[in-house]
Amino acid sequence: MTYGTIQVERKGRVGLITLDRPKALNALNTRLMNEVVAAATEFDRDPEIGCLVVTGSEKAFAAGADIKEMQSLDFVDAYLGDWFAAWDRFGALRKPVVAAVAGYALGGGCELAMLCDVLLAADTAKFGQPEIKLGVIPGIGGSQRLTRAVGKAKAMELCLTGRMMGAEEAERAGLVSRVVPADQLLSEALATAETIAAMSAPAAIMMKESVNRAFETTLAEGVRFERRLFHATFATVDQKEGMAAFAEKRPPEFRHR
Ligand code: CAA
């Protein structure tokens, strides 16, 4: 399939999606949203792919939803069109997704990064939810996921003022897992994704499900959910292989990759 707003590549067992609307700083218009979701869904279903990476350009991961496209919408257009609903399908991907963020990750761009599972930032990254400055509020989960990631005080301040937060502050606040020099961002993201893709696929998918469950349920229910999945791993040949490899002091060769 050919795309007009993204580039899609396979790097071994990693599926790489690069947002590519440079003239609009990768603003997320409907076409780009549908293309990202289609490409990601295809990788998610592909048994040869174990992990995805989503990235943008040096200047912008994405500067938000496309303001010019939304400008003339009225309530009924937005409601009946279920504006942004396709992003929910991105959040429902089963395989792990690494976000590699350089430059602006604003509004929908910050929200897309937060929909990913591992968030790596270049030292040039700038995060923010500036929707309030446009007379609106976030619509792809920003007020919810940012609050869960950085806590109420910082989320309130960022969302109410529209202030941008640099990479170091974002790491201190717990929004990003690691900050790396900008020229190493993609190689670090691909290396992280290759590491994940080399694991047992059922274990990696269960791992993602289990961590995400922490945001949806109580501690007791979350631990019960994790315990059931832990027990389920003993039904896989990869558990036998992983533990045998440890005992035999050799690297594991997982079958389900
Ligand atoms: N939508 C549409 N076009 C955008 C855009 C956006 N979100 N962000 C940037 N662009 C366009 C600009 O209009 C400009 O196009 P033209 O050359 O045709 O004028 C081009 O990208 C380059 O942008 P700038 O000239 O503004 O670049 P800059 O370096 O001076 O500033 C910036 C960079 C600070 C990121 C600035 O572009 C900006 O503030 N962008 C908007 C950020 C924003 O408000 N994002 C939230 C959008 S709403 C949202 O995302 C809702 C939600 O919850 C999903």
Side-chain angles (χ1 to χ4, degrees):
M1 187 164 171
T2 50
Y3 298 103
T5 63
I6 60 172
Q7 288 174 24
V8 176
E9 288 167 78
R10 289 160 170 279
K11 303 262 185 194
R13 292 187 41 79
V14 175
L16 173 63
I17 299 175
T18 305
L19 310 186
D20 189 23
R21 285 189 77 206
K23 288 189 182 139
L25 300 184
N26 292 333
L28 311 170
N29 64 4
T30 301
R31 179 170 183 195
L32 182 143
M33 171 177 71
N34 288 332
E35 290 189 351
V36 169
V37 172
T41 303
E42 207 174 307
F43 281 142
D44 205 36
R45 290 187 186 135
D46 184 338
E48 301 302 316
I49 294 292
C51 188
L52 283 67
V53 173
V54 177
T55 195
S57 69
E58 242 172 67
K59 181 159 187 202
F61 178 71
D66 192 309
I67 300 167
K68 294 165 190 166
E69 187 185 48
M70 288 185 293
Q71 192 176 356
S72 60
L73 286 183
D74 65 18
F75 166 73
V76 172
D77 295 331
Y79 184 69
L80 288 185
D82 208 0
W83 211 252
F84 297 149
W87 288 120
D88 297 342
R89 300 211 300 278
F90 186 89
L93 295 170
R94 301 187 78 204
K95 288 177 186 162
V97 186
V98 177
V101 176
Y104 297 112
L106 302 177
C110 186
E111 292 169 300
L112 173 57
M114 291 190 292
L115 277 168
C116 299
D117 304 305
V118 177
L119 209 171
L120 293 187
D123 46 14
T124 58
K126 290 188 187 68
F127 298 89
Q129 297 290 159
E131 289 87 346
I132 191 126
K133 296 203 260 179
L134 301 166
V136 296
I137 71 167
I140 314 172
S143 64
Q144 305 305 298
R145 291 195 180 88
L146 188 65
T147 307
R148 281 164 164 80
V150 306
K152 175 178 167 179
K154 198 175 272 289
M156 275 290 188
E157 192 227 340
L158 290 168
C159 291
L160 284 171
T161 65
R163 174 174 81 81
M164 290 185 219
M165 161 167 84
E168 298 296 335
E169 183 181 355
E171 187 185 24
R172 272 200 313 278
L175 179 65
V176 313
S177 61
R178 224 150 31 93
V179 179
V180 299
D183 60 357
Q184 291 165 28
L185 177 68
L186 189 59
S187 59
E188 284 289 331
L190 289 170
T192 303
E194 278 158 21
T195 300
I196 295 168
M199 303 297 175
S200 158
I205 293 171
M206 285 184 201
M207 191 70 262
K208 170 170 173 166
E209 254 193 292
S210 193
V211 172
N212 280 335
R213 195 63 167 231
F215 292 98
E216 306 288 348
T217 190
T218 63
L219 179 60
E221 283 305 319
V223 171
R224 209 186 311 275
F225 181 82
E226 179 198 75
R227 188 75 38 81
R228 290 293 169 267
L229 289 182
F230 169 73
H231 293 157
T233 61
F234 286 81
T236 67
V237 287
D238 288 342
Q239 172 270 327
K240 299 287 175 290
E241 168 60 12
M243 293 192 178
F246 175 81
E248 292 160 19
K249 300 189 188 299
R250 60 172 174 83
E253 281 284 337
F254 292 121
R255 182 179 319 159
H256 296 294
R257 291 199 312 148

CSV table of all heavy atoms in Angstrom, one decimal, residues 56-117:
chain,number,residue,atom,x,y,z
A,56,GLY,N,8.8,11.1,14.0
A,56,GLY,CA,8.5,12.2,13.1
A,56,GLY,C,9.8,12.8,12.5
A,56,GLY,O,10.6,12.0,12.1
A,57,SER,N,9.9,14.1,12.5
A,57,SER,CA,11.1,14.7,11.9
A,57,SER,C,12.0,15.2,13.0
A,57,SER,O,11.6,15.2,14.2
A,57,SER,CB,10.7,15.8,10.9
A,57,SER,OG,10.2,16.9,11.6
A,58,GLU,N,13.1,15.8,12.6
A,58,GLU,CA,13.9,16.5,13.6
A,58,GLU,C,13.2,17.7,14.3
A,58,GLU,O,13.3,17.9,15.5
A,58,GLU,CB,15.2,17.1,12.9
A,58,GLU,CG,16.5,16.5,13.3
A,58,GLU,CD,17.6,17.0,12.4
A,58,GLU,OE1,17.9,18.2,12.4
A,58,GLU,OE2,18.1,16.2,11.6
A,59,LYS,N,12.4,18.4,13.5
A,59,LYS,CA,11.7,19.6,14.0
A,59,LYS,C,10.5,19.3,14.8
A,59,LYS,O,10.1,19.9,15.7
A,59,LYS,CB,11.5,20.6,12.9
A,59,LYS,CG,10.8,21.8,13.4
A,59,LYS,CD,10.9,23.0,12.5
A,59,LYS,CE,10.3,24.2,13.2
A,59,LYS,NZ,9.9,25.3,12.4
A,60,ALA,N,9.7,18.2,14.3
A,60,ALA,CA,8.4,18.0,14.9
A,60,ALA,C,8.1,16.5,14.9
A,60,ALA,O,8.1,15.9,13.8
A,60,ALA,CB,7.3,18.7,14.2
A,61,PHE,N,7.8,15.9,16.0
A,61,PHE,CA,7.1,14.6,16.0
A,61,PHE,C,5.7,14.9,15.4
A,61,PHE,O,5.4,14.3,14.4
A,61,PHE,CB,7.0,14.1,17.5
A,61,PHE,CG,6.3,12.8,17.6
A,61,PHE,CD1,6.9,11.6,17.2
A,61,PHE,CD2,5.0,12.7,18.2
A,61,PHE,CE1,6.2,10.4,17.3
A,61,PHE,CE2,4.4,11.5,18.4
A,61,PHE,CZ,5.0,10.4,17.9
A,62,ALA,N,5.0,15.7,16.0
A,62,ALA,CA,3.7,16.2,15.4
A,62,ALA,C,3.3,17.4,16.2
A,62,ALA,O,3.2,17.4,17.5
A,62,ALA,CB,2.6,15.2,15.4
A,63,ALA,N,2.9,18.5,15.5
A,63,ALA,CA,2.5,19.8,16.1
A,63,ALA,C,1.0,19.8,16.5
A,63,ALA,O,0.4,20.9,16.7
A,63,ALA,CB,2.9,21.0,15.3
A,64,GLY,N,0.4,18.6,16.5
A,64,GLY,CA,-1.0,18.6,17.0
A,64,GLY,C,-1.9,18.1,15.9
A,64,GLY,O,-1.5,17.9,14.7
A,65,ALA,N,-3.2,18.1,16.2
A,65,ALA,CA,-4.3,17.8,15.2
A,65,ALA,C,-4.2,19.0,14.2
A,65,ALA,O,-3.7,20.1,14.6
A,65,ALA,CB,-5.6,17.7,15.9
A,66,ASP,N,-4.7,18.8,13.0
A,66,ASP,CA,-4.6,19.8,12.0
A,66,ASP,C,-5.7,20.9,12.3
A,66,ASP,O,-6.9,20.7,12.1
A,66,ASP,CB,-4.8,19.2,10.6
A,66,ASP,CG,-4.4,20.2,9.5
A,66,ASP,OD1,-4.9,21.3,9.6
A,66,ASP,OD2,-3.6,19.8,8.7
A,67,ILE,N,-5.2,22.0,12.7
A,67,ILE,CA,-6.1,23.1,13.1
A,67,ILE,C,-6.9,23.6,11.9
A,67,ILE,O,-8.1,23.9,12.0
A,67,ILE,CB,-5.3,24.3,13.8
A,67,ILE,CG1,-4.5,23.7,15.0
A,67,ILE,CG2,-6.2,25.4,14.1
A,67,ILE,CD1,-3.4,24.7,15.5
A,68,LYS,N,-6.2,23.7,10.8
A,68,LYS,CA,-6.9,24.3,9.6
A,68,LYS,C,-8.0,23.3,9.2
A,68,LYS,O,-9.1,23.8,8.7
A,68,LYS,CB,-5.9,24.5,8.5
A,68,LYS,CG,-4.9,25.6,8.8
A,68,LYS,CD,-3.7,25.6,7.9
A,68,LYS,CE,-2.6,26.5,8.4
A,68,LYS,NZ,-1.3,26.3,7.7
A,69,GLU,N,-7.8,22.0,9.3
A,69,GLU,CA,-8.9,21.1,9.0
A,69,GLU,C,-10.1,21.2,9.9
A,69,GLU,O,-11.2,21.0,9.5
A,69,GLU,CB,-8.3,19.7,9.0
A,69,GLU,CG,-9.3,18.6,8.4
A,69,GLU,CD,-8.7,17.2,8.6
A,69,GLU,OE1,-8.2,16.8,9.7
A,69,GLU,OE2,-8.7,16.4,7.6
A,70,MET,N,-9.8,21.5,11.2
A,70,MET,CA,-10.8,21.4,12.2
A,70,MET,C,-11.6,22.8,12.3
A,70,MET,O,-12.7,22.8,12.8
A,70,MET,CB,-10.2,21.2,13.6
A,70,MET,CG,-9.7,19.8,13.9
A,70,MET,SD,-9.2,19.6,15.6
A,70,MET,CE,-7.8,20.7,15.6
A,71,GLN,N,-10.9,23.8,11.8
A,71,GLN,CA,-11.4,25.2,12.1
A,71,GLN,C,-12.9,25.4,11.8
A,71,GLN,O,-13.5,26.0,12.7
A,71,GLN,CB,-10.6,26.1,11.1
A,71,GLN,CG,-10.6,27.5,11.3
A,71,GLN,CD,-9.7,28.3,10.4
A,71,GLN,OE1,-9.0,27.7,9.6
A,71,GLN,NE2,-9.7,29.6,10.4
A,72,SER,N,-13.4,24.9,10.8
A,72,SER,CA,-14.8,25.2,10.4
A,72,SER,C,-15.8,24.1,10.9
A,72,SER,O,-17.0,24.2,10.6
A,72,SER,CB,-14.9,25.3,8.9
A,72,SER,OG,-14.5,24.1,8.3
A,73,LEU,N,-15.3,23.1,11.6
A,73,LEU,CA,-16.3,22.1,12.1
A,73,LEU,C,-17.3,22.7,13.1
A,73,LEU,O,-17.0,23.6,13.9
A,73,LEU,CB,-15.5,21.1,13.0
A,73,LEU,CG,-14.6,20.0,12.3
A,73,LEU,CD1,-14.1,19.1,13.4
A,73,LEU,CD2,-15.4,19.3,11.3
A,74,ASP,N,-18.5,22.2,13.1
A,74,ASP,CA,-19.4,22.6,14.2
A,74,ASP,C,-19.6,21.3,15.0
A,74,ASP,O,-19.1,20.2,14.7
A,74,ASP,CB,-20.7,23.2,13.7
A,74,ASP,CG,-21.6,22.2,12.9
A,74,ASP,OD1,-21.3,21.0,13.0
A,74,ASP,OD2,-22.5,22.6,12.1
A,75,PHE,N,-20.4,21.4,16.1
A,75,PHE,CA,-20.5,20.3,17.0
A,75,PHE,C,-21.1,19.1,16.4
A,75,PHE,O,-20.5,18.0,16.5
A,75,PHE,CB,-21.5,20.7,18.2
A,75,PHE,CG,-21.9,19.5,19.0
A,75,PHE,CD1,-21.0,18.9,19.9
A,75,PHE,CD2,-23.2,19.0,18.8
A,75,PHE,CE1,-21.4,17.7,20.6
A,75,PHE,CE2,-23.6,17.8,19.5
A,75,PHE,CZ,-22.7,17.2,20.4
A,76,VAL,N,-22.1,19.2,15.5
A,76,VAL,CA,-22.7,18.1,14.9
A,76,VAL,C,-21.7,17.4,13.9
A,76,VAL,O,-21.6,16.1,13.9
A,76,VAL,CB,-24.0,18.4,14.2
A,76,VAL,CG1,-24.6,17.2,13.4
A,76,VAL,CG2,-25.0,18.8,15.3
A,77,ASP,N,-20.9,18.2,13.2
A,77,ASP,CA,-19.9,17.6,12.3
A,77,ASP,C,-18.9,16.7,13.2
A,77,ASP,O,-18.6,15.6,12.8
A,77,ASP,CB,-19.0,18.6,11.7
A,77,ASP,CG,-19.7,19.5,10.7
A,77,ASP,OD1,-20.7,19.0,10.1
A,77,ASP,OD2,-19.3,20.7,10.5
A,78,ALA,N,-18.5,17.3,14.3
A,78,ALA,CA,-17.5,16.6,15.1
A,78,ALA,C,-18.1,15.4,15.8
A,78,ALA,O,-17.4,14.3,15.8
A,78,ALA,CB,-16.9,17.6,16.2
A,79,TYR,N,-19.3,15.5,16.2
A,79,TYR,CA,-20.0,14.4,17.0
A,79,TYR,C,-20.4,13.3,16.0
A,79,TYR,O,-20.0,12.1,16.3
A,79,TYR,CB,-21.2,15.0,17.7
A,79,TYR,CG,-21.9,14.0,18.6
A,79,TYR,CD1,-21.3,13.5,19.7
A,79,TYR,CD2,-23.1,13.5,18.3
A,79,TYR,CE1,-21.9,12.6,20.6
A,79,TYR,CE2,-23.8,12.6,19.1
A,79,TYR,CZ,-23.2,12.1,20.2
A,79,TYR,OH,-23.8,11.2,21.0
A,80,LEU,N,-21.0,13.6,15.0
A,80,LEU,CA,-21.5,12.6,14.0
A,80,LEU,C,-20.3,11.9,13.3
A,80,LEU,O,-20.2,10.8,13.0
A,80,LEU,CB,-22.5,13.1,13.0
A,80,LEU,CG,-23.9,13.4,13.5
A,80,LEU,CD1,-24.8,13.8,12.4
A,80,LEU,CD2,-24.5,12.2,14.3
A,81,GLY,N,-19.3,12.8,13.1
A,81,GLY,CA,-18.0,12.2,12.4
A,81,GLY,C,-17.2,11.5,13.4
A,81,GLY,O,-16.2,10.9,13.0
A,82,ASP,N,-17.6,11.5,14.7
A,82,ASP,CA,-16.8,10.9,15.8
A,82,ASP,C,-15.3,11.2,15.6
A,82,ASP,O,-14.4,10.3,15.5
A,82,ASP,CB,-17.0,9.3,15.7
A,82,ASP,CG,-16.8,8.7,17.1
A,82,ASP,OD1,-16.6,9.5,18.1
A,82,ASP,OD2,-17.0,7.5,17.2
A,83,TRP,N,-15.1,12.5,15.6
A,83,TRP,CA,-13.7,13.1,15.3
A,83,TRP,C,-12.7,12.4,16.2
A,83,TRP,O,-12.9,12.4,17.4
A,83,TRP,CB,-13.8,14.6,15.5
A,83,TRP,CG,-12.9,15.3,14.6
A,83,TRP,CD1,-11.7,15.9,15.0
A,83,TRP,CD2,-13.0,15.5,13.2
A,83,TRP,NE1,-11.1,16.5,13.9
A,83,TRP,CE2,-11.8,16.3,12.8
A,83,TRP,CE3,-13.9,15.1,12.2
A,83,TRP,CZ2,-11.6,16.6,11.5
A,83,TRP,CZ3,-13.6,15.5,10.9
A,83,TRP,CH2,-12.5,16.2,10.5
A,84,PHE,N,-11.6,12.0,15.7
A,84,PHE,CA,-10.5,11.4,16.4
A,84,PHE,C,-10.7,9.9,16.8
A,84,PHE,O,-9.8,9.3,17.4
A,84,PHE,CB,-10.1,12.1,17.7
A,84,PHE,CG,-9.6,13.5,17.4
A,84,PHE,CD1,-9.8,14.5,18.4
A,84,PHE,CD2,-8.9,13.9,16.2
A,84,PHE,CE1,-9.3,15.8,18.1
A,84,PHE,CE2,-8.4,15.2,16.0
A,84,PHE,CZ,-8.6,16.1,17.0
A,85,ALA,N,-11.9,9.3,16.5
A,85,ALA,CA,-12.2,8.0,17.1
A,85,ALA,C,-11.2,7.0,16.5
A,85,ALA,O,-10.9,6.0,17.2
A,85,ALA,CB,-13.6,7.6,16.7
A,86,ALA,N,-10.6,7.2,15.3
A,86,ALA,CA,-9.7,6.2,14.7
A,86,ALA,C,-8.5,6.0,15.6
A,86,ALA,O,-7.9,4.9,15.7
A,86,ALA,CB,-9.3,6.6,13.3
A,87,TRP,N,-8.1,7.1,16.4
A,87,TRP,CA,-6.9,6.9,17.3
A,87,TRP,C,-7.1,5.9,18.3
A,87,TRP,O,-6.2,5.3,18.9
A,87,TRP,CB,-6.5,8.3,17.9
A,87,TRP,CG,-5.9,9.2,16.9
A,87,TRP,CD1,-6.4,10.5,16.6
A,87,TRP,CD2,-4.7,9.1,16.2
A,87,TRP,NE1,-5.6,11.1,15.7
A,87,TRP,CE2,-4.5,10.3,15.4
A,87,TRP,CE3,-3.8,8.1,16.1
A,87,TRP,CZ2,-3.4,10.4,14.5
A,87,TRP,CZ3,-2.7,8.2,15.2
A,87,TRP,CH2,-2.5,9.4,14.5
A,88,ASP,N,-8.4,5.6,18.7
A,88,ASP,CA,-8.7,4.6,19.7
A,88,ASP,C,-8.2,3.2,19.2
A,88,ASP,O,-7.7,2.4,20.0
A,88,ASP,CB,-10.2,4.4,20.0
A,88,ASP,CG,-10.7,5.7,20.6
A,88,ASP,OD1,-9.9,6.5,21.1
A,88,ASP,OD2,-12.0,5.9,20.6
A,89,ARG,N,-8.2,3.0,17.9
A,89,ARG,CA,-7.7,1.7,17.3
A,89,ARG,C,-6.2,1.6,17.4
A,89,ARG,O,-5.6,0.6,17.6
A,89,ARG,CB,-8.2,1.6,15.8
A,89,ARG,CG,-9.7,1.6,15.7
A,89,ARG,CD,-10.1,0.8,14.5
A,89,ARG,NE,-9.6,1.2,13.2
A,89,ARG,CZ,-10.1,2.2,12.5
A,89,ARG,NH1,-11.2,2.8,12.9
A,89,ARG,NH2,-9.5,2.5,11.3
A,90,PHE,N,-5.5,2.8,17.4
A,90,PHE,CA,-4.1,2.8,17.6
A,90,PHE,C,-3.8,2.4,19.0
A,90,PHE,O,-2.9,1.6,19.3
A,90,PHE,CB,-3.5,4.2,17.3
A,90,PHE,CG,-2.0,4.3,17.3
A,90,PHE,CD1,-1.3,4.0,16.2
A,90,PHE,CD2,-1.4,4.5,18.5
A,90,PHE,CE1,0.1,4.0,16.2
A,90,PHE,CE2,0.0,4.6,18.6
A,90,PHE,CZ,0.8,4.3,17.4
A,91,GLY,N,-4.6,2.9,20.0
A,91,GLY,CA,-4.4,2.6,21.4
A,91,GLY,C,-4.7,1.1,21.7
A,91,GLY,O,-4.3,0.6,22.7
A,92,ALA,N,-5.4,0.5,20.8
A,92,ALA,CA,-5.8,-0.9,21.0
A,92,ALA,C,-4.8,-1.9,20.3
A,92,ALA,O,-5.1,-3.1,20.4
A,92,ALA,CB,-7.2,-1.2,20.5
A,93,LEU,N,-3.8,-1.4,19.7
A,93,LEU,CA,-2.8,-2.3,19.1
A,93,LEU,C,-2.3,-3.3,20.2
A,93,LEU,O,-2.1,-2.9,21.3
A,93,LEU,CB,-1.6,-1.5,18.5
A,93,LEU,CG,-1.9,-0.6,17.4
A,93,LEU,CD1,-0.7,0.3,17.1
A,93,LEU,CD2,-2.4,-1.4,16.1
A,94,ARG,N,-2.0,-4.5,19.8
A,94,ARG,CA,-1.6,-5.5,20.8
A,94,ARG,C,0.0,-5.5,20.9
A,94,ARG,O,0.5,-5.7,22.0
A,94,ARG,CB,-2.0,-6.9,20.4
A,94,ARG,CG,-3.5,-7.0,20.2
A,94,ARG,CD,-4.0,-8.4,20.0
A,94,ARG,NE,-4.0,-9.1,21.2
A,94,ARG,CZ,-3.9,-10.5,21.3
A,94,ARG,NH1,-3.7,-11.2,20.2
A,94,ARG,NH2,-3.9,-11.1,22.5
A,95,LYS,N,0.7,-5.3,19.8
A,95,LYS,CA,2.1,-5.3,19.9
A,95,LYS,C,2.7,-4.0,20.5
A,95,LYS,O,2.1,-2.9,20.3
A,95,LYS,CB,2.7,-5.6,18.6
A,95,LYS,CG,2.5,-7.0,18.1
A,95,LYS,CD,3.0,-7.3,16.7
A,95,LYS,CE,2.5,-8.6,16.3
A,95,LYS,NZ,2.6,-8.8,14.8
A,96,PRO,N,3.8,-4.1,21.2
A,96,PRO,CA,4.4,-2.9,21.8
A,96,PRO,C,4.8,-1.8,20.7
A,96,PRO,O,5.2,-2.2,19.6
A,96,PRO,CB,5.6,-3.4,22.5
A,96,PRO,CG,5.4,-4.8,22.8
A,96,PRO,CD,4.6,-5.3,21.6
A,97,VAL,N,4.6,-0.6,21.1
A,97,VAL,CA,4.9,0.5,20.2
A,97,VAL,C,5.9,1.5,20.9
A,97,VAL,O,5.6,1.9,22.0
A,97,VAL,CB,3.7,1.3,19.7
A,97,VAL,CG1,4.0,2.4,18.7
A,97,VAL,CG2,2.6,0.4,19.2
A,98,VAL,N,7.0,1.8,20.2
A,98,VAL,CA,8.0,2.8,20.8
A,98,VAL,C,7.8,4.1,20.1
A,98,VAL,O,7.7,4.1,18.8
A,98,VAL,CB,9.4,2.3,20.5
A,98,VAL,CG1,10.4,3.3,21.0
A,98,VAL,CG2,9.7,0.9,21.2
A,99,ALA,N,7.6,5.2,20.8
A,99,ALA,CA,7.6,6.5,20.2
A,99,ALA,C,9.0,7.1,20.3
A,99,ALA,O,9.6,7.1,21.3
A,99,ALA,CB,6.6,7.4,21.0
A,100,ALA,N,9.4,7.6,19.2
A,100,ALA,CA,10.7,8.3,19.1
A,100,ALA,C,10.4,9.8,18.8
A,100,ALA,O,10.1,10.1,17.7
A,100,ALA,CB,11.6,7.7,18.1
A,101,VAL,N,10.5,10.6,19.9
A,101,VAL,CA,10.0,12.0,19.7
A,101,VAL,C,11.2,13.0,19.7
A,101,VAL,O,12.0,13.1,20.7
A,101,VAL,CB,9.1,12.4,20.9
A,101,VAL,CG1,8.7,13.8,20.9
A,101,VAL,CG2,7.9,11.4,21.0
A,102,ALA,N,11.3,13.8,18.6
A,102,ALA,CA,12.2,14.9,18.6
A,102,ALA,C,11.4,16.2,18.2
A,102,ALA,O,10.3,16.0,17.5
A,102,ALA,CB,13.3,14.7,17.5
A,103,GLY,N,11.8,17.3,18.7
A,103,GLY,CA,11.1,18.5,18.4
A,103,GLY,C,9.7,18.6,19.0
A,103,GLY,O,9.5,18.0,20.1
A,104,TYR,N,8.8,19.2,18.3
A,104,TYR,CA,7.4,19.5,18.9
A,104,TYR,C,6.6,18.2,19.0
A,104,TYR,O,6.4,17.5,18.0
A,104,TYR,CB,6.7,20.5,18.1
A,104,TYR,CG,7.3,21.9,18.0
A,104,TYR,CD1,7.9,22.4,16.9
A,104,TYR,CD2,7.4,22.7,19.2
A,104,TYR,CE1,8.5,23.6,16.8
A,104,TYR,CE2,8.0,23.9,19.2
A,104,TYR,CZ,8.6,24.4,18.0
A,104,TYR,OH,9.2,25.6,17.9
A,105,ALA,N,6.1,18.0,20.2
A,105,ALA,CA,5.0,16.9,20.4
A,105,ALA,C,3.9,17.7,21.1
A,105,ALA,O,3.9,17.7,22.3
A,105,ALA,CB,5.5,15.8,21.1
A,106,LEU,N,3.0,18.3,20.4
A,106,LEU,CA,2.0,19.2,21.0
A,106,LEU,C,0.6,18.7,20.7
A,106,LEU,O,0.4,18.2,19.6
A,106,LEU,CB,2.2,20.6,20.4
A,106,LEU,CG,3.6,21.3,20.6
A,106,LEU,CD1,3.6,22.7,19.9
A,106,LEU,CD2,3.9,21.4,22.0
A,107,GLY,N,-0.3,19.0,21.6
A,107,GLY,CA,-1.7,18.6,21.4
A,107,GLY,C,-1.8,17.1,21.0
A,107,GLY,O,-1.3,16.2,21.7
A,108,GLY,N,-2.4,16.9,19.8
A,108,GLY,CA,-2.5,15.5,19.3
A,108,GLY,C,-1.2,14.8,19.2
A,108,GLY,O,-1.1,13.6,19.3
A,109,GLY,N,-0.1,15.6,19.0
A,109,GLY,CA,1.3,14.9,18.9
A,109,GLY,C,1.7,14.4,20.2
A,109,GLY,O,2.2,13.3,20.3
A,110,CYS,N,1.5,15.1,21.3
A,110,CYS,CA,1.8,14.6,22.6
A,110,CYS,C,0.9,13.4,22.9
A,110,CYS,O,1.3,12.4,23.5
A,110,CYS,CB,1.6,15.8,23.6
A,110,CYS,SG,2.1,15.4,25.3
A,111,GLU,N,-0.4,13.5,22.5
A,111,GLU,CA,-1.3,12.5,22.8
A,111,GLU,C,-1.0,11.2,22.0
A,111,GLU,O,-1.1,10.1,22.5
A,111,GLU,CB,-2.8,12.9,22.4
A,111,GLU,CG,-3.2,14.0,23.3
A,111,GLU,CD,-4.5,14.7,22.8
A,111,GLU,OE1,-4.5,15.3,21.7
A,111,GLU,OE2,-5.5,14.7,23.5
A,112,LEU,N,-0.5,11.3,20.8
A,112,LEU,CA,-0.1,10.2,20.0
A,112,LEU,C,1.1,9.5,20.7
A,112,LEU,O,1.2,8.3,20.8
A,112,LEU,CB,0.3,10.6,18.5
A,112,LEU,CG,0.9,9.5,17.7
A,112,LEU,CD1,0.0,8.2,17.6
A,112,LEU,CD2,1.2,10.0,16.3
A,113,ALA,N,2.1,10.3,21.1
A,113,ALA,CA,3.3,9.8,21.9
A,113,ALA,C,2.8,9.0,23.1
A,113,ALA,O,3.3,8.0,23.4
A,113,ALA,CB,4.2,10.9,22.2
A,114,MET,N,1.8,9.6,23.8
A,114,MET,CA,1.3,8.9,25.0
A,114,MET,C,0.5,7.7,24.7
A,114,MET,O,0.3,6.8,25.6
A,114,MET,CB,0.5,9.9,25.9
A,114,MET,CG,1.4,11.0,26.5
A,114,MET,SD,0.5,12.0,27.7
A,114,MET,CE,-0.7,12.8,26.7
A,115,LEU,N,0.0,7.5,23.5
A,115,LEU,CA,-0.7,6.3,23.1
A,115,LEU,C,0.3,5.2,22.9
A,115,LEU,O,-0.1,4.0,22.8
A,115,LEU,CB,-1.5,6.5,21.8
A,115,LEU,CG,-2.9,7.1,22.0
A,115,LEU,CD1,-3.4,7.5,20.6
A,115,LEU,CD2,-3.8,6.2,22.6
A,116,CYS,N,1.6,5.5,22.7
A,116,CYS,CA,2.6,4.5,22.5
A,116,CYS,C,3.0,3.9,23.9
A,116,CYS,O,2.6,4.4,24.9
A,116,CYS,CB,3.8,5.1,21.8
A,116,CYS,SG,3.4,5.7,20.2
A,117,ASP,N,3.8,2.8,23.9
A,117,ASP,CA,4.1,2.1,25.1
A,117,ASP,C,5.4,2.5,25.8
A,117,ASP,O,5.5,2.6,27.0
A,117,ASP,CB,4.1,0.6,24.8
A,117,ASP,CG,2.8,0.2,24.2
A,117,ASP,OD1,1.7,0.5,24.8
A,117,ASP,OD2,2.8,-0.3,23.1
